[in-house]
Every structure is written in structure tokens, then in C-alpha cells.
Amino acid sequence: MSVDGASKSGVPSAITTPATQKVGIGTLEFTDGYPTRDTAAKLRDHLDYLHGIESFMNSIQGVSTYAIREGFLKAGIADGDVAIFSGLMDSASLFLTANADTVYFWTFLDLSQGPLVVETPAETLGCIDDMWFGWISDFGLPGADRGQGGTYLLVGPGYDGPLPEGGSYVRNSRTNHITLIGRAFINENPGDDPAPTVDRIKAQLKIYPYAAGGVGSSIGAYLTGRGRLGAPGTPASPRFVEGTGLVMNTIPPNDFGHYELLDRLVQMEPAEALDPELAGQFAAIGIVKGETFAPDTRLRTILDEAVAVGNAAARTVGMGAHPGDGFRYYDGDTAWWNMLFVGGFEFTNPRPTSPRTACGRTRTRVRASCTRARRCSTPRPPSRPPCACG
């Protein structure tokens, strides 16, 4: 119904669609509320553009994790290998919020063949995440072992076999592949020498397949049909790959390649690991589990522009904290902010309503994937943006 017709019939004009509307994407034309062919095409293009921006900004966390694993593989660090930085981090590698004064050890693990046992070294600070950068567990000082070293049983999404009654900290992952990163300090070593810390990590870190019915499985459980008995698993040291001086890039691209990595991640992991709302955003631009991502010329052109705007927007919300965001401190010439103080790892506003902040996840992830190690230990000129470790 046209606006004129609506006013004559008593229908409020506010609930009708004008025959012509001039908006930012051009002139929209409707006949009795029905879009013309040109208007429909224009709006479909614009929706694809918006979905492209949303898909970029809401997948930085997963694409970032995937890019790290891809960087490891290209550098010869296979799943199950542990990259260790015996001479500390340096600027040879492009890494995720790296610093140059702690010893890092980092690995990706594949749980698709069954659970894995990880015995973590003492006096470390670490975490385990799934491939969508979803938190699985802390270990070390913030973890259940409280820095004493502990045994963690990591279980993938497809496992339905028996689990131990005790003897380990059982942690479940939504994805088959996971990442484990740890840091250990050197400040108590003579001359800040990293060697004793490295030796401790190599001696104590063990990674091996879980053996059902071993340690943690009681005779009583077996006799009552609640488990089985078997030989304990055999602790094994992983292959360590020296990371200091190793040239590799673990930072995701800010062009169309971002969508290509996103598609590889979607194909690699179970569909159930992905939030349905996010999966819908990705599907809107052609990234669907089990299907080929092959945008035509029209969609490719739109996505090239969408990723440029998405990257610019992500960097704006990640590096230009506004006072109203609630995580900017010491206004003036300083540049201090920490978004995790406000929303935590779930990126929610304070209670009672606890809605997720619209850009909380984006601003955190873009801040955590744009730096080299050496930059974080170099004084910042007044005109230069702050380092991501700051």
C-alpha cells in the first residue's frame, strides 16, 4: 500500500513502505511495498556485504587459532610436537601477543583418535583452548594443579568410552584439535638464564594416549560393571622443536584469505562445535560444513570490500578504546586499557542483565594477534600505537 493510499484509508503511514526511499546505498523503490527487481538486487548485495563484515569480526578468534596451527605445520611443527623457545622469543617469528622475557612452550593436539594425557610441568602458567579459541582449562599457577604440575586428561567431542574415577583432571573439548600454551619464568634463575627453566619443562612435560582402565580406575568400579581394567598409559616425552630464531608467521590475513582460513576451520572441526548463530553468518556468505566455498565474481567483489571494512572496524574497536566502553584508564597522554577487566573471557556486561558486549570478543581477539615479540620489549614512541602486550 502506498503512503497516499494509507493516509486515505486511515492506515498509519509509519507501518507502510514509501514508494521511494533515498538511503546510503542509493534509491530504493517499491510498488505497493514490493521491491523492484533493481532494489532487490541492490539489497541482496548489501546484505552479503553486511554478512561479510559480521563473519570477519565474529571469526577472528577461530581464524587466529587456525593460523597459528598452520604456521606451526609450515615450520615443521606437527600436531603433538612442542615448540619451545629456549632462547626466548624474538622477532624472527610473527606471533600472538608474544613477549621476550619468559620461556614459551606451545603445542597443538589431535583428540580425534582418543583422549590424551598431558602431565604439565611445575611452576608454569598456561591454558588449553579449543580451535575456536574457546577456553577448556588453565594449568599451572592458575589451574587445578596450582603450579605444582598435574595430570590433565583431554577428551575430544567424539569419545564415549570409560573415564577414570580420579587421578587426573578431566577436561572436555568441543573440537578435535586443541592448543596448549604455557609460559615459565626465569627471574629466579641466576642471571635470568632460561636454561634451568627449559630443562625443567623438557623433563616434566609428558603427552601420551589415555589407556582406559589404568590409573584412576578402581577394582570396585570394574567389579560393579562401571568400568574396566587395563594397563596404565606409558608417559612419553614429546618431540621438542626449537622456536627461538625460527621464522614463521602465525598471524591470520586481513584480506580475502581470512574467509579461506575460516572455511578450512569450519570443514576441519565438528559442526556442533560452532555456535548456530555464528554458523548462520558464515553460511550466508557460502561457508558451510561439508560444502565447497566458491564465491562467484559478484560475491568475491563484495567480500573483498567487506573484509577491508571489517578489518578496519575490528582495529578501531580493538585499539581505540572509548571512555564509554568502560575499560580505558588514565585518560590523557597514556594508552592503557584492558577489556578483560570489564567483560571477562565471556565478554559480557556486568550483571544483572549480563548481555554479551557487541564488540567485546572482536576487540580482544584483534588486540591479541597483531604484534612481534621484540616490539613488546621496545619503548613506544609517543606517536606510535601501543603494543598488543601492553
Side-chain angles (χ1 to χ4, degrees):
M1 179 180 293
S2 67
V3 174
D4 290 341
S7 60
K8 292 178 181 178
S9 65
V11 176
S13 60
I15 67 172
T16 65
T17 300
T20 302
Q21 287 181 295
K22 292 184 178 181
V23 295
I25 61 173
T27 300
L28 307 180
E29 297 179 329
F30 297 84
T31 300
D32 292 332
Y34 195 87
T36 64
R37 187 183 301 273
D38 288 344
T39 291
K42 185 181 300 182
L43 288 170
R44 289 192 182 99
D45 287 349
H46 190 60
L47 287 173
D48 286 340
Y49 170 69
L50 295 177
H51 293 317
I53 294 175
E54 292 172 341
S55 294
F56 177 89
M57 296 185 68
N58 289 325
S59 64
I60 293 175
Q61 68 280 7
V63 173
S64 177
T65 311
Y66 186 90
I68 300 169
R69 178 174 179 267
E70 187 173 77
F72 273 39
L73 294 175
K74 289 181 178 179
I77 308 170
D79 290 344
D81 292 345
V82 177
I84 189 166
F85 294 80
S86 302
L88 305 182
M89 281 274 194
D90 56 36
S91 57
S93 296
L94 291 169
F95 247 98
L96 178 78
T97 52
N99 61 54
D101 54 13
T102 59
V103 176
Y104 281 90
F105 57 99
W106 203 325
T107 185
F108 283 83
L109 302 174
D110 184 355
L111 304 178
S112 63
Q113 301 305 307
L116 291 175
V117 178
V118 176
E119 297 181 11
T120 61
E123 300 179 49
T124 58
L125 177 75
C127 67
I128 306 169
D129 290 330
D130 66 27
M131 287 301 294
W132 288 103
F133 231 143
W135 180 78
I136 296 174
S137 180
D138 293 324
F139 67 88
L141 293 171
D145 63 285
R146 299 305 299 272
Q148 302 302 303
T151 301
Y152 290 79
L153 177 57
L154 307 176
V155 183
Y159 181 76
D160 60 358
L163 293 172
E165 303 164 64
S168 61
Y169 308 112
V170 179
R171 301 291 187 261
N172 295 89
S173 171
R174 301 177 303 166
T175 59
N176 286 315
H177 297 84
I178 62 175
T179 185
L180 178 151
I181 177 174
R183 296 163 59 185
F185 304 105
I186 63 174
N187 58 298
E188 295 185 359
N189 299 343
D192 288 341
D193 180 10
T197 299
V198 172
D199 291 343
R200 184 178 71 250
I201 294 170
K202 288 185 174 181
Q204 296 180 3
L205 180 62
K206 310 293 181 184
I207 302 174
Y208 52 96
Y210 165 63
V215 174
S217 301
S218 67
I219 300 292
Y222 167 71
L223 293 176
T224 56
R226 293 182 288 111
R228 70 188 192 198
L229 295 181
T234 303
S237 296
R239 183 175 84 101
F240 288 95
V241 178
E242 182 54 58
T244 302
L246 185 62
V247 177
M248 59 177 156
N249 175 28
T250 68
I251 307 300
N254 294 321
D255 56 14
F256 184 79
H258 178 100
Y259 299 121
E260 294 176 315
L261 262 62
L262 173 59
D263 177 63
R264 292 179 212 166
L265 175 56
V266 168
Q267 303 309 325
M268 184 175 75
E269 296 299 343
E272 295 78 11
L274 185 56
D275 178 272
E277 185 175 354
L278 292 183
Q281 292 179 3
F282 306 156
I285 61 171
I287 297 177
V288 180
K289 176 77 172 180
E291 299 183 10
T292 300
F293 176 52
D296 57 20
T297 301
R298 179 197 70 86
L299 183 56
R300 172 61 190 265
T301 301
I302 291 172
L303 292 179
D304 282 338
E305 183 174 354
V307 73
V309 174
N311 176 55
R315 287 176 176 271
T316 297
V317 300
M319 301 180 187
H322 188 276
D325 291 333
F327 58 87
R328 175 174 167 177
Y329 310 98
Y330 313 116
D331 280 341
D333 296 330
T334 63
W336 289 95
W337 57 83
N338 189 326
M339 60 288 296
L340 289 179
F341 284 173
V342 177
F345 74 95
E346 292 184 329
F347 315 110
T348 56
N349 282 323
R351 294 182 177 181
T353 55
S354 297
R356 181 157 287 134
T357 55
C359 296
R361 177 175 52 210
T362 300
R363 64 168 61 103
T364 299
R365 297 314 183 193
V366 75
R367 290 276 299 159
S369 60
C370 59
T371 185
R372 288 190 185 203
R374 187 170 294 168
R375 289 181 183 172
C376 289
S377 57
T378 303
R380 178 175 63 89
S383 60
R384 181 169 150 193
C387 168
C389 290

